[in-house]
Amino acid sequence: MSSSNPGSPSATAPSSSSASSFSSKAHSCIQALSSILSTVPSSVSSSSSLLHDPTVSSQISTLLRDPDSGSGDNNLCRWLYDTFHSPDPELKLVVLRFVPIVAGIYLSRIALRKSLAGFEAILLALYAHETTARDGQPISVNVPDLTQPSIYHEAKSSVKTQATELNLAVISPTLEPHGTMRSSRRARIVGVALELYYSKISQMPVSSKLEFCEFCDIWATGIQNKPSSSSSSKQKTILLPWELLQPSLRILGHCLLGAHKSKKLYEAASIATKSLYERSLHDIDAKAILATSSLLRLEKMALDPKLNVDHTEIDMSLAL
Amino acid sequence: MADDETPSQTQESSTAREFSANGTSMSTTDVEAKLDKGNIEEAESSLRERLSLNSEEARTLLGRLEYQRGNVEAALRVLDGIDLQAAIQKLQPSSQQAARLVLEGVYLKVKSLQKLGKFAEAAQDCTNILDAVGRIFPQGIPDAQVESKLQEMISKAVELLPELLKQAGKYQEAMAAYRRVLLNPRNLDNDCCGRIQKAFAVFLLHSGLEAGPPSLGAQADGAYVPKNNLEEAILLLLVLMRKIHHGDIQWDPSVLDHLMYALSLCSQTPVLSKQLEELKPGVFHRTERWNLLALCCSGVGQNKAAMNLLRKSLHINERPNDLTALLLAAKICSEDSQLAAEGVGYAQRAVDNAKGVDEHLKGVGLRMLGLCLGKQAKVSSSDFERSRLQNEALKSLDSALSFEQDNPDIIFELGAHYAEQRNLNAALRFAKKYIDITGGSVMKGWRLLALILSAQQRFAEAEVVIDAALDETGKWEQGPLLRLKAKLKVSQSRPMEAIETYRYLLALVQAQRKSFGPMKIDSQVEDDKVKEFEVWYGLAALYSSLSHWKDVEVCVKKAREMKQYSAELVHTEGFMHQERGEIQEALASYINASLLDPFYVPSKVWIGALLSKLGSNSLPVARTLLSDALRIEPTNRKAWYHLGMVHKDDGRLADAIDCLQAASMLEESDPVENFRSIL
């Protein structure tokens, strides 16, 4: 049974930027979803409520964890794919919310020789979106040399260099278009999907980030700690090249040290970081060892009351 | 003036608190009793009477008392009685004492709201304080005595505002607040400024929201302006480290750790090295510093520097049993045959030390041990030594596998080692398993499988494997696979198809060289040259096997454009001379090739072969050269063959038979490319 195609380019939408058109797209999206899920609460009526509704998310997550969920004819994968192609950016966020679980399950199932065309279509769509958005260009970061003054410090630079010798570090290399998922490019494609997820992470609900931490832990150790899973608890670890590891570390950094308030997320991130640290020792990967060990030390420091004195506390003199 | 009471929120009744003002003081007990009963007005009037205070002053003191006692809500109720807004409006630059009182009252309210979780309200009030200060004292605070107390409170307000905005979830406003103060930190002391800079850097790194470029107006002339969160955070952290180095602020390990995280993500660990080197001694224990530096060096491939540091830190008098350092040292040594023997020592120590909580690293240690032994075998001086080491290597890798059945690296390495020892059935098993486990995503797995199949003379199957690999590989990485495919076609006596494959590969390589224009970094340009060189050289070798000498010359010339001094090219020219009967020129070329690269085996073999035909006087020289070739490459069947002929010509028939038998066995299991090219 194929669902209707709300995001199809053939649907004429001359006023595609108007809010009413978006809300009607959201509406048809939710309609399509109701034919896949068992219950969609009536409170879910807009793309933002779709993003945050816990009933919908948990149903989708459960369906995605189904053993045959990733195949090419899977309804849910089709729905996610179509929804991502909608022009409404809020609907795109809804699909992004499920990136951790799609990427996580996809990578864990590679060795099982199952058909994963459904997942691959979604990941390729995300990759294509990033490629277009960035025009294929790499993302680089300049690591400044403090001999040149900056907006935050002064320096007596004796030599006025016309072109500041930029110490450019590429944090995300050039993107070439990929129409199909080739094994050698798999890690990069999934990594780019994770980069896209990270760019919107401040808008992602906590449950999505919790899923990410869970999969990070599984990728690192191969052991699934969820007692509710029916399949065997030992999965295979996956190869963790830098293309996957680096965006994962950025997401984990946010979960561990970002300004959210969820204790549960903090604990999950802590477990995942520890697993990644041990994995990096296993692979003797120097950069990963440095990054994960620093996160662990920072976590410990954040818990130490001696180091977290509130300097904005006021002096309570009872004298005028 | 009475002393300040340190607020002790858990022992309200036991500390004797006193109000004091206008020269009089009174105990707080009665007032506290009234407040506990909720009689704020009574408490206020009692205070006003006894200490001659006005309403605002009395309420301020009551608010402070409640805050000190931990009754935050009550403090708010008391302070609500003062119309702080109106009071702020009435403030004049002349009445600085009054200003201080009112603003401190508001600040107390802000802190109370914060403790009650009402962050947005608190942020609003905090903003009001700062606006008021800006309005009343546009040129700064004149009276020095008032100035210091008020300035202290203003600094706190400035530090607190972005935190409140963060806690209220107003991230964009928080970032704007941070920037406002940091772009112009006029009256902040070093510590306060440092704290704000650190808080902002952490927020930039981990909030997950891009701040967008700062709006600067005229400030930017000539100064470096960061373009995104990561750049801004790194800049702030480097500025903080500079303050630490200069002693302007105290050492704070979290600054270094945040910087370590950020720079590792950017693969810019040498910058981190510089920071570590600048730290004064004593901040880190020296072995810790060496180990961190070694990690920084190793992270960007500066292995020599890393080894120097690790040798110091693993010295018997320092920390010889540090597991991370041992594993890192073993890993670096395992990649260099000159260091391999040293690496064996480190790996063994790692295995011995992998106990207790670190037991999970035992397999890793064994793997490193296996790799180092295998590398050591390559430079061993005797056959006996070599086979002993190879056996030890295999044993270690097997042990490692028993600890980590699914470790893909160990599986690959076992496959490669068995392949080199020509135990092809075992090698095949492992090669297949590696591809399964990695989902075919690593090219070397496909290559190993194809090479093993070719060694088993199953050329057609090898080609099928290569085709499958080509399907799974991105266009720009297909080079090595296509070269292998060409060689397989040659082995199947289809040279024309091989030439086609090379042509296709050449087009690919040239297209890659021309694309991605200016964004290329130097190493990529070099890489591309190497790739094109390999193609031209491969074509030259192919044409050479077909005796198309004109084509060989063209290809050699093209290859020379990529790499001027190459033993392979000179050797190819030598072979051309040889086939044309120009023996002296051939010998000269082969000797030149050997001079260019003393480890280049094919030239040694041919020099040996040619010399052996020049008469019995040359036989000992030929034998030396061929033995030398075999020392470097013990599975070179041509060397064995020619050595066998030398022995025969010299009358040593038993040795000749041994050598020729070796040559024959090797011929039956010769891969199209050397197995060494895999590891």
Side-chain angles (χ1 to χ4, degrees):
Chain A
M1 170 176 77
S2 61
S3 46
S4 62
N5 201 341
S8 149
S10 61
T12 47
S15 57
S16 59
S17 54
S18 74
S20 61
S21 161
F22 279 0
S23 74
S24 73
K25 288 236 173 5
H27 193 67
S28 48
C29 227
I30 296 169
Q31 282 263 334
L33 190 57
S34 337
S35 59
I36 304 174
L37 300 184
S38 42
T39 52
V40 177
S42 48
S43 54
V44 175
S45 56
S46 68
S47 35
S48 79
S49 54
L50 188 56
L51 177 60
H52 292 282
D53 184 82
T55 337
V56 169
S57 324
S58 72
Q59 282 178 77
I60 295 184
S61 297
T62 315
L63 280 177
L64 285 172
R65 289 176 201 262
D66 205 55
D68 295 309
S69 56
S71 62
D73 54 1
N74 179 271
N75 287 344
L76 190 52
C77 288
R78 180 82 210 178
W79 182 84
L80 284 168
Y81 179 85
D82 291 339
T83 309
F84 187 71
H85 282 99
S86 149
D88 178 0
E90 286 256 8
L91 283 178
K92 287 185 164 54
L93 285 181
V94 173
V95 178
L96 278 186
R97 181 243 173 273
F98 293 102
V99 162
I101 196 169
V102 167
I105 296 190
Y106 174 65
L107 289 173
S108 321
R109 286 191 192 165
I110 288 299
L112 298 179
R113 298 184 185 228
K114 286 191 171 184
S115 161
L116 295 167
F119 286 151
E120 287 179 352
I122 300 171
L123 291 165
L124 282 166
L126 294 168
Y127 181 84
H129 178 267
E130 263 303 86
T131 309
T132 318
R134 281 180 16 189
D135 197 24
Q137 294 304 308
I139 299 183
S140 57
V141 162
N142 177 35
V143 177
D145 162 19
L146 289 190
T147 58
Q148 280 286 96
S150 79
I151 55 176
Y152 292 125
H153 82 290
E154 285 166 10
K156 297 193 251 296
S157 67
S158 45
V159 179
K160 257 291 169 62
T161 47
Q162 279 99 336
T164 349
E165 272 146 40
L166 293 178
N167 182 7
L168 272 184
V170 175
I171 53 165
S172 179
T174 330
L175 291 178
E176 306 143 28
H178 285 304
T180 55
M181 182 74 81
R182 294 177 184 231
S183 315
S184 69
R185 301 277 85 211
R186 184 181 296 131
R188 178 69 179 137
I189 292 172
V190 176
V192 169
L194 289 177
E195 284 177 21
L196 182 52
Y197 177 78
Y198 179 72
S199 69
K200 303 278 179 229
I201 201 167
S202 56
Q203 297 170 279
M204 292 289 120
V206 170
S207 53
S208 171
K209 302 178 197 181
L210 279 170
E211 280 165 11
F212 178 78
C213 295
E214 174 203 334
F215 278 105
C216 227
D217 187 33
I218 295 178
W219 291 344
T221 61
I223 300 170
Q224 188 163 29
N225 284 315
K226 265 177 99 90
S228 57
S229 89
S230 50
S231 53
S232 67
S233 62
K234 176 95 170 93
Q235 302 187 348
K236 300 244 165 50
T237 59
I238 63 163
L239 279 184
L240 276 178
W242 190 242
E243 301 150 317
L244 268 182
L245 196 51
Q246 194 233 49
S248 302
L249 285 170
R250 295 197 77 181
I251 300 172
L252 267 187
H254 166 86
C255 296
L256 201 59
L257 299 169
H260 62 80
K261 297 165 198 142
S262 163
K263 184 153 183 277
K264 213 167 155 201
L265 179 58
Y266 181 81
E267 282 163 1
S270 174
I271 294 174
T273 311
K274 184 123 212 293
S275 302
L276 271 184
Y277 171 67
E278 287 178 356
R279 174 64 188 264
S280 63
L281 283 179
H282 243 263
D283 295 339
I284 320 182
D285 178 349
K287 275 192 305 211
I289 294 176
L290 285 170
T292 48
S293 63
S294 60
L295 281 180
L296 288 176
R297 281 191 297 270
L298 287 168
E299 182 201 349
K300 220 165 131 200
M301 283 189 250
L303 294 174
D304 184 349
K306 282 204 300 285
L307 297 173
N308 291 299
V309 176
D310 182 2
H311 293 275
T312 61
E313 193 56 82
I314 185 169
D315 203 6
M316 239 55 62
S317 158
L318 292 179
L320 280 185
Chain B
M1 287 265 214
D3 301 9
D4 296 341
E5 296 276 2
T6 24
S8 145
Q9 312 203 315
T10 46
Q11 314 158 22
E12 284 125 27
S13 43
S14 49
T15 41
R17 281 187 266 252
E18 271 197 348
F19 289 120
S20 112
N22 297 333
T24 340
S25 50
M26 62 178 267
S27 147
T28 61
T29 333
D30 294 335
V31 175
E32 288 187 35
K34 294 199 170 80
L35 288 172
D36 286 338
K37 288 207 216 92
N39 296 338
I40 301 184
E41 273 81 18
E42 271 192 48
E44 183 189 335
S45 35
S46 150
L47 208 52
R48 285 179 69 173
E49 243 178 68
R50 301 271 295 278
L51 298 176
S52 329
L53 301 170
N54 65 33
S55 169
E56 278 149 6
E57 292 166 336
R59 287 234 165 198
T60 307
L61 281 182
L62 288 176
R64 289 184 192 177
L65 176 61
E66 285 293 55
Y67 190 82
Q68 213 184 90
R69 296 202 304 161
N71 303 335
V72 176
E73 281 169 359
L76 272 177
R77 272 200 297 275
V78 166
L79 290 168
D80 273 342
I82 318 178
D83 189 350
L84 289 167
Q85 286 297 80
I88 289 185
Q89 300 303 329
K90 281 192 304 197
L91 285 176
Q92 299 296 324
S94 49
S95 57
Q96 290 164 44
Q97 183 75 301
R100 186 188 135 212
L101 205 61
V102 170
L103 292 174
E104 282 184 358
V106 184
Y107 191 75
L108 192 59
K109 192 167 164 219
V110 168
K111 287 302 284 180
S112 309
L113 285 168
Q114 184 191 27
K115 292 205 161 85
L116 290 175
K118 299 189 177 160
F119 302 117
E121 256 186 86
Q124 186 53 57
D125 281 332
C126 200
T127 313
N128 291 343
I129 296 180
L130 293 172
D131 286 344
V133 169
R135 205 172 20 94
I136 304 170
F137 305 113
Q139 319 291 29
I141 303 169
D143 183 320
Q145 198 179 46
V146 178
E147 193 259 347
S148 68
K149 274 283 178 182
L150 195 50
Q151 184 55 51
E152 201 183 308
M153 192 212 72
I154 293 169
S155 295
K156 290 187 193 204
V158 155
E159 190 176 341
L160 184 56
L161 177 60
E163 300 305 309
L164 291 171
L165 288 166
K166 239 172 37 185
Q167 288 169 318
K170 300 190 177 189
Y171 288 2
Q172 287 291 5
E173 294 175 42
M175 301 222 201
Y178 276 123
R179 279 202 183 127
R180 245 193 331 270
V181 62
L182 289 176
L183 289 173
N184 220 334
R186 269 180 309 191
N187 295 317
L188 295 178
D189 67 59
N190 273 331
D191 285 323
C192 183
C193 183
R195 283 194 302 270
I196 303 177
Q197 283 175 326
K198 184 174 102 166
F200 189 30
V202 175
F203 193 54
L204 285 166
L205 273 180
H206 299 295
S207 65
L209 187 67
E210 272 294 321
S215 53
L216 295 166
Q219 282 165 295
D221 48 301
Y224 164 68
V225 180
K227 286 185 329 288
N228 56 47
N229 277 14
L230 204 43
E231 280 186 5
E232 207 168 347
I234 290 178
L235 172 62
L236 285 164
L237 291 167
L238 285 172
V239 167
L240 282 167
M241 285 304 293
R242 196 172 79 145
K243 287 185 182 174
I244 291 173
H245 294 318
H246 290 177
D248 296 335
I249 58 177
Q250 279 220 325
W251 162 242
D252 179 351
S254 68
V255 174
L256 187 68
D257 277 324
H258 285 297
L259 194 55
M260 189 180 295
Y261 170 80
L263 289 173
S264 312
L265 288 182
C266 304
S267 307
Q268 288 290 306
T269 47
V271 177
L272 190 60
S273 292
K274 284 215 204 94
Q275 294 296 322
L276 283 166
E277 284 165 1
E278 269 192 73
L279 285 175
K280 304 214 171 25
V283 172
F284 281 114
H285 187 271
R286 58 179 179 276
T287 54
E288 208 182 332
R289 192 198 297 245
W290 291 331
N291 288 341
L292 281 172
L293 283 170
L295 282 167
C296 291
C297 292
S298 170
V300 284
Q302 293 168 347
N303 287 331
K304 201 157 160 224
M307 272 317 292
N308 283 337
L309 290 156
L310 288 168
R311 283 185 189 117
K312 286 189 348 181
S313 119
L314 288 170
H315 188 271
I316 191 81
N317 295 335
E318 301 287 355
R319 274 214 293 199
N321 297 325
D322 184 291
L323 204 45
T324 312
L326 286 168
L327 288 172
L328 184 60
K331 178 178 180 196
I332 297 176
C333 289
S334 74
E335 291 163 4
D336 182 344
S337 39
Q338 303 301 320
L339 295 175
E342 194 184 341
V344 168
Y346 296 131
Q348 189 60 63
R349 272 153 70 183
V351 172
D352 295 335
N353 277 300
K355 296 187 288 248
V357 288
D358 293 326
E359 184 139 19
H360 66 103
L361 292 171
K362 204 173 186 112
V364 187
L366 286 166
R367 177 184 161 223
M368 287 300 128
L369 184 57
L371 289 178
C372 290
L373 286 166
K375 257 313 200 292
Q376 195 187 359
K378 293 203 160 92
V379 292
S380 56
S381 43
S382 78
D383 278 342
F384 175 75
E385 177 80 359
R386 187 195 341 263
S387 37
R388 182 184 72 83
L389 287 169
Q390 276 178 339
N391 285 334
E392 295 278 329
L394 269 176
K395 265 204 304 216
S396 290
L397 287 174
D398 264 328
S399 266
L401 192 63
S402 67
F403 279 91
E404 312 199 346
Q405 287 95 341
D406 297 317
N407 185 321
D409 293 317
I410 301 179
I411 291 173
F412 178 81
E413 282 142 14
L414 274 168
H417 274 92
Y418 278 125
E420 270 200 272
Q421 292 200 310
R422 305 297 167 97
N423 182 345
L424 295 176
N425 289 327
L428 193 61
R429 261 198 336 264
F430 281 109
K432 282 189 177 154
K433 192 162 178 206
Y434 182 72
I435 294 187
D436 275 342
I437 274 193
T438 57
S441 57
V442 185
M443 182 168 41
K444 66 182 185 182
W446 293 108
R447 282 186 62 216
L448 180 62
L449 182 58
L451 283 179
I452 293 170
L453 287 169
S454 75
Q456 290 181 320
Q457 316 295 306
R458 291 153 74 177
F459 298 118
E461 289 173 68
E463 208 180 319
V464 167
V465 164
I466 292 290
D467 284 334
L470 285 167
D471 273 341
E472 297 292 351
T473 314
K475 198 163 60 149
W476 302 123
E477 290 110 19
Q478 288 179 340
L481 293 170
L482 287 167
R483 279 205 307 274
L484 200 44
K485 183 167 177 166
K487 289 181 186 164
L488 285 171
K489 290 207 190 275
V490 169
S491 308
Q492 295 173 84
S493 307
R494 304 213 292 262
M496 291 305 139
E497 288 179 31
I499 294 177
E500 270 315 302
T501 310
Y502 267 118
R503 289 227 177 96
Y504 175 75
L505 176 54
L506 187 61
L508 192 63
V509 162
Q510 285 176 330
Q512 185 172 18
R513 207 152 64 91
K514 294 189 178 109
S515 73
F516 308 126
M519 271 317 288
K520 273 209 175 139
I521 49 182
D522 285 332
S523 62
Q524 268 180 299
V525 171
E526 280 312 305
D527 261 354
D528 287 343
K529 274 199 179 154
V530 167
K531 283 185 191 156
E532 197 168 334
F533 167 82
E534 306 263 329
V535 180
W536 285 117
Y537 169 61
L539 260 177
L542 174 54
Y543 281 126
S544 174
S545 66
L546 297 171
S547 303
H548 292 183
W549 305 124
K550 282 274 176 280
D551 294 317
V552 174
E553 279 170 18
V554 168
C555 295
V556 166
K557 188 158 160 256
K558 285 284 192 181
R560 207 160 254 141
E561 284 170 30
M562 302 291 135
K563 186 173 166 188
Q564 204 180 0
Y565 300 111
S566 150
E568 292 98 334
L569 291 180
V570 174
H571 176 88
T572 310
E573 287 170 331
F575 188 75
M576 202 162 46
H577 287 303
Q578 182 180 344
E579 292 294 294
R580 285 173 171 168
E582 298 153 6
I583 300 299
Q584 288 306 320
E585 286 87 339
L587 255 180
S589 294
Y590 290 145
I591 292 175
N592 281 339
S594 269
L595 287 172
L596 273 175
D597 180 0
F599 292 101
Y600 188 63
V601 167
S603 297
K604 284 199 213 286
V605 172
W606 277 118
I607 300 174
L610 287 178
L611 283 180
S612 68
K613 305 223 172 62
L614 291 181
S616 54
N617 283 343
S618 329
L619 285 176
V621 184
R623 182 176 169 190
T624 310
L625 281 164
L626 290 165
S627 303
D628 198 35
L630 283 171
R631 178 187 59 88
I632 302 173
E633 217 181 279
T635 53
N636 188 309
R637 63 180 171 89
K638 287 197 183 116
W640 283 112
Y641 169 75
H642 288 292
L643 186 57
M645 298 310 281
V646 164
H647 281 310
K648 172 176 153 273
D649 288 341
D650 242 351
R652 293 183 293 273
L653 292 180
D655 290 333
I657 292 175
D658 281 342
C659 291
L660 292 171
Q661 268 182 338
S664 165
M665 279 193 329
L666 284 171
E667 189 172 0
E668 286 164 18
S669 62
D670 219 20
V672 291
E673 258 175 30
N674 207 318
F675 282 125
R676 283 176 163 221
S677 58
I678 289 273
L679 258 182

